[in-house]
Amino acid sequence: TISIFPTLAQLLTKFQSQAENTFKYTTIQLNRNYGAKMHVDGNNHGPSRIIGLGSYTGGELWVMDPKGTKELEVRETMRGWPDLKVGTMVRGRVVDI
């Protein structure tokens, strides 16, 4: 948290402002060795940014896109998307991070 790592929070804020100073955000999330299941970022108030740092392999993000070529199965209810039923195949695209 910011109270435990205030210098890290300042560093990440500075990094983001130098990368794209017009992007507005309220939260910074750090993950390590994290593999997320399909989900909806339901509490976001606008676009998200994702940045991969360090030496790693893989690091792909699947994004729902009706024109995409990679299909995934919906395995559980998606909050805010009542039309996406469990068992439905959904088109998307894979983004390299």
Side-chain angles (χ1 to χ4, degrees), residues 11-71:
L11 178 68
L12 292 170
T13 301
K14 184 175 182 178
F15 175 82
Q16 173 54 42
S17 68
Q18 288 177 348
E20 187 179 353
N21 66 357
T22 60
F23 184 70
K24 305 294 182 208
Y25 58 95
T26 59
T27 305
I28 297 174
Q29 177 176 325
L30 302 175
N31 298 314
R32 182 177 184 206
N33 297 330
Y34 182 69
K37 59 186 175 182
M38 184 188 289
H39 68 278
V40 175
D41 289 339
N43 294 321
N44 289 10
H45 297 282
S48 298
R49 296 290 186 264
I50 186 167
I51 300 168
L53 302 171
S55 177
Y56 61 90
T57 59
E60 296 176 331
L61 174 68
W62 180 88
V63 179
M64 189 170 80
D65 180 351
K67 296 180 182 175
T69 59
K70 174 80 173 177
E71 285 190 325

Side-chain angles (χ1 to χ4, degrees), residues 55-93:
S55 177
Y56 61 90
T57 59
E60 296 176 331
L61 174 68
W62 180 88
V63 179
M64 189 170 80
D65 180 351
K67 296 180 182 175
T69 59
K70 174 80 173 177
E71 285 190 325
L72 290 182
E73 180 182 354
V74 176
R75 295 193 175 165
E76 58 187 60
T77 304
M78 295 287 119
R79 180 176 46 162
W81 292 83
D83 293 339
L84 293 180
K85 306 291 185 201
V86 174
T88 303
M89 297 302 289
V90 181
R91 296 185 82 140
R93 57 189 163 84

Side-chain angles (χ1 to χ4, degrees), residues 1-9:
T1 66
I2 195 166
S3 59
I4 298 172
F5 300 106
T7 305
L8 178 59

